[in-house]
């Protein structure tokens, strides 16, 4: 679902940024509650989980691959605005450091995976879970369906963005300038990948985290559901347990070590082929579309291009090191954003206090 550069026209990419920038601005303001409640470490861990989930390539029956995103579970736990920031940060460094997704196409990649997916997934989760208790078995089921719907709507949006390119941008002979796929090709391709395997992976990830937290850390589930009842909470004696952040960091470490399993999936994701790998005959082309060929290499400074740094001589080691570097960078950026927001809110509060006293 990561749209590379060259597949969308510069005009389309500009629209993606126009749509995303206001949402990012609102998200920074709305995420202040998460920062104030000292959940920045949790946000950093969840952003790392999203990054790692997107590294796991799952094989699709047609020979391509897809992946989960983890956007809905972040929205369930810390709210949709926190999910916008967490997934956007993960996508930014996937593009800049690992060449996964385009820099020009970053706006629409965020619209799809960091905006549509968490908001749609959370809406479905809330509709289906209703006023049920936090420990209700209804909530993991609602989370699974929310995650499934969220990732599929994101995939549909990407399919439409791909599929409109030949219609909107072509030369005088009618040949496409950018993505050569029409809607009749993009929608079935993305639907097959996400209605089946990727959607199931997202559903399992989202439901699994909610079910685990129901037993291990109901307090984290309560962050975004402060008024929902927990039966027996006042009288039940809470057993000693390992700190939740320790468990979360352990889970992230295990995911990082397992990321090379994504290398076992044959083929690549639909719409992510390099120009030289494009099947020209399949799309009735005589040559690679000129715009695709021109912009596909727009960003060529990825240090771990393709999650590797060894020219594929040691792909497993490259994948693990890429995962570790990605986690470290993403976590650091989330903490910096949290510190900046906390400092800004602290200054604003200090300015308001004298005004209230006078």
């Amino acid at each position: 679902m990561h749209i590379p550069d060259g597949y969308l026209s510069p005009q389309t990419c500009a629209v993606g940024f126009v749509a995303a920038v206001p949402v990012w601005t609102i998200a920074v303001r709305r995420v202040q509650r998460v920062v104030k409640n000292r959940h920045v470490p949790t946000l950093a861990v969840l952003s790392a989980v999203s990054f790692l989930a997107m590294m796991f390539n799952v094989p699709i029956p047609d020979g391509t691959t897809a992946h989960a995103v983890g956007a809905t579970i972040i929205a369930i736990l810390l709210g949709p605005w926190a999910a916008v920031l967490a997934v956007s940060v993960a996508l930014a460094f996937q593009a800049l450091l690992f060449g996964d997704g385009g820099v020009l196409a970053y706006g629409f990649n965020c619209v799809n995976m960091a905006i549509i997916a968490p908001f749609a997934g959370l809406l479905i989760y809330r509709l289906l879970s209703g006023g049920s208790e936090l420990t209700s078995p209804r909530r993991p089921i609602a989370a699974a369906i929310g995650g499934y719907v969220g990732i599929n709507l994101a995939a549909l949006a990407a399919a439409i963005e791909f599929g409109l390119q030949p219609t909107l941008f072509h030369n005088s002979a009618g040949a496409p300038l950018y993505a050569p796929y029409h809607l009749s090709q993009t929608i079935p391709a993305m639907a097959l990948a996400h209605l089946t395997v990727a959607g199931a992976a997202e559903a399992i990830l989202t439901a699994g985290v909610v079910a685990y937290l129901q037993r291990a850390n109901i307090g984290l589930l309560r962050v975004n559901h402060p008024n929902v009842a927990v039966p027996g909470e006042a009288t039940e004696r809470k057993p000693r347990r390992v700190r939740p952040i320790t468990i979360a960091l352990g889970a992230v470490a295990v995911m990082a070590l397992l990321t090379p399993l994504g290398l076992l999936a044959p083929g690549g994701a639909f719409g992510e082929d390099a120009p030289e790998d494009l099947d020209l005959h399949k799309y009735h082309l005589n040559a690679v579309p000129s715009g695709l060929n021109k912009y596909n290499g727009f960003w060529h400074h990825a240090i771990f291009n393709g999650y590797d740094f060894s020219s594929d001589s040691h792909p497993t080691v490259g994948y693990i090191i890429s995962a570790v570097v990605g986690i470290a960078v993403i976590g650091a950026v989330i903490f910096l954003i949290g510190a900046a927001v906390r400092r800004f809110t602290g200054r604003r509060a200090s300015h308001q206090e004298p005004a209230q006293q006078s």
Side-chain angles (χ1 to χ4, degrees), residues 4-310:
D5 285 332
Y7 279 85
L8 302 183
S9 70
Q11 298 93 319
T12 306
C13 293
V15 172
F17 281 100
V18 168
V21 167
V23 182
W24 291 329
T25 303
I26 297 171
V28 170
R29 295 175 180 174
R30 295 292 295 271
V31 83
Q32 292 176 12
R33 182 175 66 85
V34 175
V35 175
K36 286 181 180 178
N37 289 343
R38 302 185 183 280
H39 290 294
V40 174
T42 304
L43 183 60
V45 169
L46 290 174
S47 186
V49 167
S50 176
F51 167 76
L52 292 172
M54 290 187 279
M55 286 183 68
F56 277 97
N57 297 312
V58 184
I60 307 298
D62 67 347
T64 61
T65 62
H67 56 75
V69 175
T72 298
I73 188 59
I74 304 174
I76 291 172
L77 298 181
L78 298 179
W81 300 106
V84 168
L85 288 183
V87 180
S88 293
V89 169
L91 289 170
F93 287 100
Q94 281 185 313
L96 293 171
L97 293 181
F98 307 104
D100 193 3
V103 172
L104 296 176
Y106 175 68
F108 261 126
N109 280 330
C110 287
V111 168
N112 301 337
M113 289 181 273
I115 298 175
I116 293 176
F119 276 96
L122 181 62
L123 175 62
I124 297 299
Y125 170 76
R126 286 176 172 171
L127 288 175
L128 296 180
S129 61
S132 61
E133 297 167 342
L134 283 182
T135 54
S136 169
R138 184 174 170 181
R139 289 194 174 266
I141 296 173
I145 297 173
Y148 183 85
V149 172
I151 195 171
N152 274 283
L153 287 179
L156 176 60
I160 292 172
E161 292 149 17
F162 273 129
L164 288 177
Q165 297 304 301
T167 302
L168 298 177
F169 306 98
H170 51 78
N171 61 22
S172 58
L177 296 175
Y178 304 99
Y181 323 116
H182 292 271
L183 289 171
S184 60
Q185 297 165 318
T186 61
I187 292 178
M190 296 297 278
L192 173 64
H194 294 85
L195 288 173
T196 55
V197 180
E202 188 79 10
I204 292 169
L205 171 65
T206 311
V209 173
V210 170
Y212 170 76
L213 292 176
Q214 284 181 320
R215 294 169 174 78
N217 186 14
I218 199 69
L220 184 53
L221 272 181
R222 185 184 283 285
V223 172
N224 203 35
H225 306 82
N227 300 318
V228 179
V230 178
E233 186 178 42
T235 57
E236 184 180 352
R237 186 178 179 182
K238 298 180 181 179
R240 282 188 172 183
R241 59 178 185 270
V242 181
R243 291 179 62 194
I245 191 64
T246 303
I247 296 174
L249 290 174
V252 167
V254 171
M255 286 183 68
L257 292 174
L258 293 178
T259 50
L261 292 175
L263 295 170
L264 299 177
F270 172 78
E272 297 185 19
D273 292 316
E276 61 271 17
D277 297 329
L278 197 64
D279 187 346
L280 300 179
H281 178 72
K282 181 178 180 180
Y283 300 108
H284 309 289
L285 299 173
N286 295 320
V288 174
S290 59
L292 170 58
N293 199 41
K294 177 180 179 180
Y295 291 106
N296 191 256
F298 174 80
W299 180 258
H300 49 83
H301 303 292
I303 301 173
F304 301 92
N305 193 38
Y307 301 104
D308 189 37
F309 60 93
S310 58

